[in-house]
Every structure is written in C-alpha cells, then in structure tokens.
Amino acid sequence: MRAFQLMAHGTPGQFQLRELPEPHPGPHEVVVQVAACGLNRLDLWLEEAGLPISLKLPRTPGGEIAGRVAEVGSEVRDWKPGEAVAIQSNLFCGECEFCRRGEESLCLRGEILGVQRDGGFAEKVLVPARSLVRLPGELAFETSAALTLAGSTAMHMLTNRASVRAEDWVLVIGGASGVGSAAIQIAKQLGATVISTGSTDAKRALAAKLGAEFVVDSTRPDWPAEVRKLTSKRGVDLVVEHVGGEVLRQCFECLARAGTIVTCGATAGREVPLNLWPMFVKQQRLVGSYGRNRSAIHATLEWAAAGRLKSVIDSVLPLEQTQTAFTKLRSRNVLGKVLIKPVAAETIAD
Ligand SMILES: [Zn+2]
C-alpha cells in the first residue's frame, strides 16, 4: 500500500510517498481503508519535531481519519469489514483507572495516532478496534474527517472541561481554525452569545458566518479592550483558547468575574506569565483540555449528522499532494480543513 511518510524532521521536513507492506490486524486490531484524513497543526508539530515526546522515523502522519473497515482481527466481535467508521486519534488502553470511567483523554498509556503510531496519510491504517467510532446515518467521510479531531476537541472543551449556560458570553480565539470554527457553532447551539477573533477579513467573515455575533481583529494590539467594550466592560464568561503565549495572557483581560479560560494548545508559547492577584480576586479558572473522550466524538458526529455542526473544508487533495497540504497549512493561508483522500471515492464506495 502507498503511504506518505516523514523521513526526517525539519521545516519543511523530508517526506516520501512510499510503497509499504499491507498491514494485517493482530487479534484486537482492525485495518481501515482511509477514505479521508484531515491535516492538523499536530502534523506540523510532528514535522518540525516540536512535540515534547520522543519520536521514531519514518512515520506516517495524519490522525483525523474516516474510512471503511477492511479487515478485523481474530478476537474482534463488534466490527465487520465494510462498516463506515471514524477513528479516535488519542489511542487509549481501555483498562486504566481513567479509561474505566470513560475519561480516555486522561489514559495513562495513551498514544497519538499519526505521531506515535502510523496514521492516515496512507491507503490503510492499522488501529486497535476499541478506537473505532461508527459513523452515524449517511455522514460523509469528508465531513467526518473534517470534524473528528478538531471538532471533538472543541466539544470536549465546551461540554466536558467547561460548560456553557444559555446567555453566557463566550470568546472563541481564532474562529476560522479547526477548533475555533467548531467552538463557535457549539457555543451558539448551547445558547451563548459568541465573540470571536480573526487575523484576516476572510477569517473574520467565516467566524461571523458560523454564528459569531461579534468578531474582533486579532492583529490589533488592543483587541482585548474591544472585547471588554462589547460586553460593557463586564468581560466574557468563557474563553476557548488554543494559541497560548501572549494570547493566553490577553485572554485574562477579557475574562469576567468567575469566568473560565479553557485551553488546549500553545503554538505561540508554552510559558506564560500570570498575574495571580486579579485571578483569585475575580475567582477565575484556567482549565487544561487534551484530546477528547469517546462521548465527545459520538456527540460531534451525531451533531454533524443532524446538521447542528457543519464542517468547513478548504481543499481536498490526493495522497501525492500531501506535502502541498503541509505547505498550505504552515502558510496559515487556509480557510477550514485541508483533507487528503488516499483512496479514490469509487474504490471505497462499499
Ligand atoms: Zn487507559
């Protein structure tokens, strides 16, 4: 089978489209034929060796996978070839204290698909059967691959790590990003008034189209003052943050009394100075979020099937053009998800 593999780290890294042996499942594993796989910031971190994890190369990136079960292991009872599935990219053991209570995002033996195991920029992927999620209804592979990772990250942040009450003010940082575009829609559905940020006219227009009532220009140094003004100086109840660095510090300037910042990323910096005095006086919370539990993936895909959560797709490229996809994402000149389709639709139809 063909796989697009990272051979050496760098910016850009060295990639090769390689012919690899067909994967075969162990007793509790399945092979999935990949219909579509979304590209994420995580893939760029793998490319540039920017993750605090020891990595082995070559590696096939890609964690946001939708496809059909091609082959199941001898002990797999719940799945059969031909079923349409998504894959939970934060692989989990199913046995530790956190997995047993449905908190797979906290698994003690968790691994990231496409980082610590070969992922979906390939015709086939080999994964533990427990990581499969059935695609509801007629949900398209492309829609699933555009929401499974970033969309469920947002679902986990807004419904598990934090909560939204009707009439809350919610600030979504980077409303045109994968996490941001889902977060705007989820917060709206839960009854919030949404303010978002965007760095270009096109990104701000997308955030507004997805339901943000107000969109501020994040390239303006005084953007937090704009957020305070929109809320009559009160501040917002919840911030959905995934950038880190100075942006996280600025989010505190936007936060109301008893407000919460939930964060899942640190592209702009992992060490952030924090002024504790206003934080405890205003009784605010800073909450970490990582990956997602199965419940969040199920909710994300069910919302998508019901039309409550829409995917935003920038472009769909064949496997041969995966490097172009990496370049596009790194340029930040994308509006929505870049998808790779390793196997032609007619081959995977049933
Ligand atoms: Zn576990």
Side-chain angles (χ1 to χ4, degrees):
M1 68 152 186
R2 293 182 315 150
F4 180 83
Q5 291 205 301
L6 178 65
M7 307 304 290
H9 294 291
T11 315
Q14 286 174 30
F15 292 99
Q16 259 180 36
L17 186 60
R18 305 177 77 201
E19 189 64 39
L20 299 182
E22 289 287 316
H24 291 291
H28 298 281
E29 293 178 317
V30 293
V31 173
V32 173
Q33 192 178 28
V34 182
C37 183
L39 184 67
N40 288 280
R41 178 71 220 182
L42 184 62
D43 299 302
L44 300 189
W45 282 331
L46 168 70
E47 181 188 18
E48 65 198 31
L51 292 161
I53 300 173
S54 69
L55 301 167
K56 273 196 224 135
L57 298 183
R59 175 65 71 223
T60 309
E64 198 160 23
I65 302 168
R68 279 195 197 281
V69 176
E71 195 181 346
V72 304
S74 56
E75 298 297 316
V76 175
R77 301 282 173 262
D78 298 340
W79 300 95
K80 52 183 191 295
E83 285 186 288
V85 294
I87 300 173
Q88 184 167 358
S89 60
N90 53 313
L91 302 176
F92 54 96
C93 75
E95 292 167 359
C96 73
E97 65 168 292
F98 298 104
C99 285
R100 282 203 309 269
R101 65 182 203 218
E103 297 266 15
E104 297 91 7
S105 60
L106 292 167
C107 178
L108 295 173
R109 291 183 284 274
E111 283 189 318
I112 308 172
L113 185 59
V115 174
Q116 289 152 297
R117 275 178 79 127
D118 282 339
F121 297 141
E123 289 172 333
K124 290 178 182 173
V125 64
L126 176 68
V127 291
R130 74 178 81 88
S131 65
L132 298 188
V133 182
R134 204 162 264 113
L135 287 192
E138 297 298 303
L139 192 66
F141 290 127
E142 291 185 12
T143 309
S144 168
L147 286 170
T148 307
L149 196 152
S152 65
T153 298
M155 187 66 81
H156 184 60
M157 293 172 86
L158 286 156
T159 63
N160 191 15
R161 300 302 297 144
S163 59
V164 177
R165 294 159 302 191
E167 296 174 25
D168 272 356
W169 284 90
V170 174
L171 170 65
V172 176
I173 301 298
S177 66
V179 170
S181 59
I184 290 172
Q185 298 179 72
I186 295 165
K188 282 295 298 175
Q189 293 271 332
L190 297 173
T193 304
V194 176
I195 304 173
S196 188
T197 69
S199 59
T200 65
D201 283 339
K203 289 179 181 180
R204 289 189 289 275
L206 175 60
K209 192 177 150 206
L210 291 170
E213 276 88 351
F214 306 99
V215 189
V216 301
D217 182 351
S218 57
T219 64
R220 287 177 51 160
D222 63 343
W223 69 264
E226 188 69 22
V227 173
R228 292 197 70 81
K229 204 165 118 189
L230 288 167
T231 58
S232 308
K233 296 192 181 166
R234 175 187 177 276
V236 300
D237 301 287
L238 178 65
V239 184
V240 179
E241 204 287 313
H242 49 92
V243 178
E246 173 66 4
V247 173
L248 177 60
R249 195 195 60 73
Q250 289 174 304
C251 287
F252 277 98
E253 295 176 27
C254 305
L255 198 60
R257 287 171 180 262
T260 298
I261 298 173
V262 58
T263 182
C264 73
T267 312
R270 291 176 189 166
E271 295 193 16
V272 181
L274 176 61
N275 185 346
L276 277 176
W277 181 269
M279 187 202 180
F280 64 68
V281 168
K282 294 181 184 174
Q283 302 190 55
Q284 296 165 328
R285 289 185 181 88
L286 174 61
V287 175
S289 188
Y290 184 71
R292 79 289 304 150
N293 301 333
R294 289 183 79 65
S295 56
I297 295 210
H298 283 297
T300 301
L301 296 176
E302 278 158 19
W303 282 38
R308 297 175 73 191
L309 186 55
K310 296 201 168 22
S311 61
V312 183
I313 296 171
D314 176 274
S315 42
V316 183
L317 299 170
L319 191 60
E320 302 78 49
Q321 288 181 39
T322 307
Q323 185 134 28
T324 307
F326 274 71
T327 308
K328 274 172 80 94
L329 187 63
R330 189 176 291 289
S331 74
R332 302 184 64 210
N333 195 19
V334 294
L335 213 52
K337 185 65 73 176
V338 181
L339 293 178
I340 301 298
K341 293 200 78 166
V343 179
E346 55 273 21
T347 326
I348 204 150
D350 47 38

